[in-house]
């Protein structure tokens, strides 16, 4: 079901502009605009583009979300204005941190832009994380110690790729790789270069077109059975393994 007619009627009311004046701005007749607002006529692509730019709200949002449920003053525009993030708050107006579950982390790629999906997630609040929009993502693998399986990484939403800072750590939500936590190394014309803390893994590029969201590291939650003294031993074994591989290759070459 499309919410378009109700949404543009609501937005026009908030701007306190008449149908006739808005139709003039959009360069259409008043009767044509009234037909869109009443739902009698489906909006043409050209009209969708115009009204999306006028209200500064994505076409996706205008068509698929009942914005009456999500006050615009409590939302954050995402990069390229494709959708908005609902900012959930407690009775004291402190921001909640949504938790992406381990078992359903891949489902986030389908639901990250759906306010109803985000609203369904479990939430926590931390008193020292107030300024900005935060979300907790599950960690997997051993590329970014101490965050291994069972850990959660809390990130602060980054609006623009230009805001990335070299040698800082970020959560990248991407089309092909899913959710990945890496160090930002460099920005290229068509991609960014990222690296792991674990030297066992080589740096690699992520195409700009693959990036859905970026969250800067803010805090981490380690599992109950985590033992910090285990990590150096694990890393040293891998480093020894790499050195052995190099030595074997040298012997073969000789």
């Amino acid at each position: 079901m499309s919410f378009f007619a109700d949404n543009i009627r609501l937005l026009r009311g908030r701007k306190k502009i008449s149908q006739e004046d808005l139709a003039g701005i959009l360069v259409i007749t008043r009767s044509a605009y009234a037909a869109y607002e009443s739902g009698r006529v489906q909006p043409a692509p050209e009209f969708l583009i115009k009204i999306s730019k006028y209200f500064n709200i994505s076409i996706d949002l205008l068509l698929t979300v009942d914005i009456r449920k999500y006050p615009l003053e409590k939302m954050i525009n995402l990069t390229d204005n494709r959708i908005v993030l609902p900012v959930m708050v407690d009775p004291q107006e402190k921001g909640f941190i949504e938790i992406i579950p381990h078992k359903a982390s891949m489902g986030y790629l389908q639901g990250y832009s759906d306010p109803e999906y985000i609203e369904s997630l479990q939430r926590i609040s931390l008193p020292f994380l107030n300024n900005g929009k935060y979300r907790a993502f599950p960690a997997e693998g051993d590329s970014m110690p101490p965050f291994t399986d069972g850990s959660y990484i809390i990130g602060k939403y980054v609006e623009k790729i230009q805001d990335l800072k070299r040698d800082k750590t970020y959560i990248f939500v991407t089309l092909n790789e899913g959710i990945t936590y890496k160090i930002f190394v460099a920005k290229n014309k068509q991609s960014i270069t990222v690296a792991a803390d674990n030297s066992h893994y080589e740096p690699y590029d992520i195409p700009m077109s693959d990036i859905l969201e970026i969250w800067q590291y803010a805090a981490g939650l380690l599992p109950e059975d985590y033992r910090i003294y285990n990590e150096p031993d694990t890393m040293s074994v891998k480093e020894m393994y790499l050195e052995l591989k190099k030595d074997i290759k040298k012997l073969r070459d000789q």
Side-chain angles (χ1 to χ4, degrees):
M1 176 182 177
S2 174
F3 299 98
F4 182 73
D6 291 337
N7 283 340
I8 63 172
R9 188 184 310 114
L10 176 68
L11 292 168
R12 182 179 60 81
R14 287 181 178 177
K15 279 189 172 287
K16 297 180 180 180
I17 186 172
S18 67
Q19 286 188 344
E20 185 172 358
D21 289 341
L22 182 51
I25 293 170
L26 300 173
V27 196
I28 60 173
T29 65
R30 180 193 173 281
S31 60
Y33 176 82
Y36 290 133
E37 197 171 277
S38 66
R40 298 194 311 272
V41 176
Q42 292 299 312
E46 295 81 6
F47 179 74
L48 285 173
I49 293 170
K50 286 182 179 180
I51 202 161
S52 171
K53 289 181 178 179
Y54 176 75
F55 287 123
N56 195 32
I57 295 180
S58 70
I59 295 173
D60 185 9
L61 185 69
L62 287 173
L63 292 175
T64 63
V65 176
D66 183 357
I67 62 176
R68 292 172 299 182
K69 295 173 60 178
Y70 306 99
L72 296 180
E73 64 273 12
K74 293 192 178 294
M75 291 187 177
I76 299 175
N77 285 312
L78 295 188
T79 305
D80 73 19
N81 196 33
R82 51 187 159 79
I83 197 70
V84 295
L85 284 172
V87 179
M88 310 302 296
V89 296
D90 64 14
Q92 285 74 43
E93 294 294 313
K94 294 182 179 179
F96 279 119
I97 301 167
E98 296 94 5
I99 302 172
I100 312 303
H102 274 271
K103 292 183 179 179
S105 61
M106 292 307 294
Y108 184 73
L109 297 182
Q110 284 75 48
Y112 73 96
S113 62
D114 181 355
E116 292 187 3
Y117 167 81
I118 299 302
E119 194 174 14
S120 72
L121 297 172
Q122 289 186 324
R123 300 186 293 272
I124 60 171
S125 60
L126 295 173
F128 54 88
L129 296 180
N130 280 323
N131 298 320
K133 176 60 194 167
Y134 296 89
R135 193 158 288 166
F137 296 87
E140 294 182 354
D142 58 358
S143 66
M144 295 290 287
F147 300 111
T148 56
D149 294 354
S151 305
Y152 276 92
I153 303 166
I154 300 174
K156 180 179 181 181
Y157 181 68
V158 177
E159 293 191 17
K160 301 175 183 177
I161 288 182
Q162 290 79 2
D163 294 335
L164 295 177
K165 298 176 182 177
R166 186 185 175 94
D167 295 329
K168 295 292 185 181
T169 51
Y170 297 88
I171 301 148
F172 298 96
V173 181
T174 67
L175 287 171
N176 293 320
E177 220 182 338
I179 300 169
T180 183
Y181 176 54
K182 292 291 182 289
I183 302 167
F184 173 67
V185 176
K187 177 179 174 291
N188 312 303
K189 288 185 178 180
Q190 302 296 329
S191 64
I192 61 170
T193 302
V194 299
D197 262 338
N198 188 340
S199 59
H200 182 67
Y201 297 89
E202 295 290 333
Y204 65 95
D205 291 342
I206 301 176
M208 297 279 196
S209 57
D210 277 3
I211 299 174
L212 300 174
E213 291 179 349
I214 303 173
W215 301 75
Q216 183 173 358
Y217 172 77
L221 303 173
L222 297 174
E224 183 179 2
D225 58 353
Y226 177 78
R227 296 292 183 269
I228 193 165
Y229 54 77
N230 287 337
E231 194 60 45
D233 294 338
T234 303
M235 291 298 294
S236 62
V237 169
K238 287 180 179 175
E239 288 170 359
M240 289 171 59
Y241 171 72
L242 288 174
E243 289 300 318
L244 283 171
K245 283 184 68 176
K246 291 178 182 178
D247 291 341
I248 291 171
K249 186 177 185 303
K250 287 180 181 178
L251 288 171
R252 285 177 178 171
D253 292 342
Q254 291 174 359

